[in-house]
């Protein structure tokens, strides 16, 4: 979207796959002309999961070609990529509780080697979410068992330590690094916790849903933190909910979308199902980013269970793509 609100033309290429795609991430290599993507795949016929690196060719006949693959011991529950100074890393957690770090060649994006932590070492059950530092040095893992772990990535091994264990009193479903020493987690009740490794013992700040009056117990599925505004956490979850949590005013979230009825509903977005992922729009061109107040929520990209891919800029414009239909709507 251009800064004047005009929607730019999009080119959409479709590449049908024979397996379920649980997650997809871009991989950066040394050549700016090569494009690679890492996919977390699930084959329902054989009940097997894998990570596959594909090369994207957008010439006269756009196509995807396989570069390398890795067979996962269980279905992948969370999938992240980090582009460290040495080489890209792929982190994959599983529903059986294992964590795997895959090293990617910087030239052809082939998978060089693997380090792993076995089942049940980090969590009692599945790993809900992981996030890699951009440097690739540490990975945070969270689970519904209430455990938060930090895994350090070495050249030949992985070491880990327990940051917190709620012993089942709190469940965690999302995580995101905010700085080399700080990260955010999300969980039941649309709760968000902020952690600082320099202050051990527990979360240093927390927020829990204060708008549904106990009528529902939502879940945070995804968190994003903008590199220029690390005081604000963006969260998406159950019931079409998208909100921003500014740690300077920890009990005053900015609700961008929420399904419901009566006074609890917001008409900002026509999304009523779970929002599975939220991310600040890195390609947004708006003067409000640099000149607007720091409390303003920057443009946000979302994807939901009911098939919406959307970009929303607080109070200005909403663009939604669903089943080849484009909609535009001024926010009230």
């Amino acid at each position: 979207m251009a800064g004047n609100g005009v929607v730019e033309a999009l080119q959409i290429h479709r590449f049908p796959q024979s397996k379920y795609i649980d997650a997809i991430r871009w991989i950066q290599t040394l050549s700016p002309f090569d494009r690679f993507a890492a996919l977390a795949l699930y084959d329902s016929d054989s009940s097997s999961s894998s990570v596959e690196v594909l090369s994207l060719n957008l010439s006269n006949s756009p196509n995807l070609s396989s570069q390398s693959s890795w067979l996962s011991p269980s279905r992948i529950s969370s999938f992240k990529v980090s582009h460290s100074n040495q080489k890209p890393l792929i982190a994959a957690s599983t529903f059986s509780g294992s964590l795997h770090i895959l090293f990617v060649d910087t030239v052809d994006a082939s998978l060089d080697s693997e380090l792993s932590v076995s089942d049940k070492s980090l969590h009692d059950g599945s790993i809900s979410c992981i996030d890699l530092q951009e440097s690739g040095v540490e990975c945070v893992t969270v689970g519904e068992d209430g455990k938060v772990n930090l895994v350090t990535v070495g050249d030949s091994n992985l070491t880990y330590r327990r940051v917190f264990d709620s012993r089942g009193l709190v469940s965690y479903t999302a995580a995101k690094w905010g700085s080399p020493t700080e990260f955010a987690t999300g969980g039941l009740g649309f709760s968000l916790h902020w952690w600082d490794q320099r202050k051990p013992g527990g979360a240093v700040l927390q927020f829990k849903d204060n708008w549904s009056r106990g009528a529902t117990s939502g879940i945070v599925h995804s968190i994003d933190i903008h590199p220029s505004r690390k005081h604000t956490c963006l969260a998406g979850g159950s019931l079409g909910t998208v909100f921003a949590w500014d740690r300077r005013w920890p009990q005053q979230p900015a609700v961008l979308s929420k399904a419901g009825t009566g006074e609890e509903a917001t008409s900002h977005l026509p999304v009523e199902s779970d929002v599975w992922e939220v991310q600040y729009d890195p390609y947004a061109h708006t003067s409000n980013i640099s000149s607007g107040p720091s409390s303003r929520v920057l443009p946000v990209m979302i994807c939901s269970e009911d098939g919406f891919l959307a970009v929303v800029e607080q109070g200005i414009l909403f663009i939604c793509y669903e089943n080849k239909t484009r909609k535009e709507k001024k926010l009230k």
Side-chain angles (χ1 to χ4, degrees):
M1 184 183 72
N4 57 6
V6 177
V7 180
E8 299 174 347
L10 292 179
Q11 286 187 326
I12 299 176
H13 303 281
R14 290 178 172 84
F15 305 99
Q17 302 294 306
S18 61
K19 304 174 183 178
Y20 288 102
I21 301 175
D22 288 330
I24 183 170
R25 297 288 184 266
W26 288 110
I27 296 179
Q28 296 177 6
T29 57
L30 293 177
S31 174
F33 304 104
D34 294 328
R35 296 185 181 183
F36 298 97
L39 280 67
L41 302 174
Y42 175 71
D43 188 340
S44 58
D45 293 333
S46 61
S47 297
S48 62
S49 294
S50 61
V51 172
E52 189 162 355
V53 177
L54 302 178
S55 174
L56 175 61
N57 182 2
L58 292 178
S59 58
N60 295 332
S61 179
N63 64 86
L64 287 173
S65 59
S66 178
Q67 294 291 112
S68 58
S69 62
W70 170 82
L71 187 63
S72 173
S74 175
R75 189 162 186 174
I76 294 173
S77 60
S78 187
F79 192 63
K80 297 297 169 64
V81 170
S82 172
H83 300 94
S84 65
N85 295 329
Q86 297 180 343
K87 58 176 57 181
L89 301 179
I90 297 175
S93 64
T94 67
F95 283 99
S96 63
S98 60
L99 174 69
H100 306 269
I101 304 295
L102 308 176
F103 294 84
V104 182
D105 187 270
T106 56
V107 178
D108 61 2
S110 60
L111 299 177
D112 282 347
S113 57
E114 173 208 353
L115 299 175
S116 63
V117 179
S118 60
D119 299 352
K120 308 298 176 64
S121 296
L122 297 171
H123 296 273
D124 296 334
S126 66
I127 299 177
S128 298
C129 186
I130 60 175
D131 192 40
L132 269 173
Q133 286 182 345
E134 186 57 34
S135 64
V137 174
E138 284 191 310
C139 178
V140 57
T141 77
V142 298
E144 293 186 3
D145 58 358
K147 295 178 181 179
V148 180
N149 302 295
L150 285 180
V151 180
T152 302
V153 180
D155 294 331
S156 59
N157 69 316
L158 300 178
T159 58
Y160 59 89
R161 63 183 176 91
R162 183 72 34 80
V163 175
F164 185 73
D165 185 356
S166 73
R167 303 188 183 278
L169 297 178
V170 179
S171 293
Y172 300 106
T173 55
K176 181 68 177 180
W177 284 100
S179 75
T181 59
E182 301 167 297
F183 60 89
T185 59
L188 298 177
F190 294 124
S191 63
L192 290 175
H193 290 181
W194 186 262
W195 307 79
D196 190 334
Q197 296 187 64
R198 297 164 297 187
K199 301 176 182 179
V204 295
L205 194 63
Q206 58 184 324
F207 163 78
K208 190 172 184 179
D209 166 21
N210 62 2
W211 60 74
S212 64
R213 302 189 181 98
T216 59
S217 181
I219 302 174
V220 172
H221 294 309
S222 177
I223 302 172
D224 196 21
I225 301 173
H226 197 280
S228 68
R229 297 188 179 183
K230 295 183 178 181
H231 54 268
T232 301
C233 296
L234 181 68
S238 306
L239 305 172
T241 302
V242 180
F243 68 96
W245 179 49
D246 193 323
R247 293 186 289 113
R248 297 171 300 178
W249 302 283
Q251 300 306 318
Q252 300 177 26
V255 181
L256 303 181
S257 168
K258 188 180 189 303
T261 59
E263 296 180 355
E264 293 181 5
T266 64
S267 59
H268 292 182
L269 300 179
V271 178
E272 297 181 353
S273 65
D274 286 19
V275 174
W276 287 112
E277 190 156 2
V278 293
Q279 182 179 324
Y280 283 108
D281 185 358
Y283 300 106
H285 299 286
T286 172
S287 59
N288 293 327
I289 293 181
S290 57
S291 62
S294 62
S295 60
R296 186 178 189 84
V297 181
L298 301 180
V300 174
M301 300 186 295
I302 70 169
C303 66
S304 69
E305 180 72 21
D306 50 7
F308 279 93
L309 295 175
V311 177
V312 59
E313 185 171 351
Q314 186 181 21
I316 298 178
L317 182 66
F318 166 67
I319 306 172
C320 177
Y321 296 88
E322 180 198 23
N323 297 329
K324 301 181 182 180
T325 301
R326 185 179 71 197
K327 303 177 183 178
E328 299 179 20
K329 177 181 177 182
K330 288 287 185 179
L331 299 185
K332 298 179 179 179

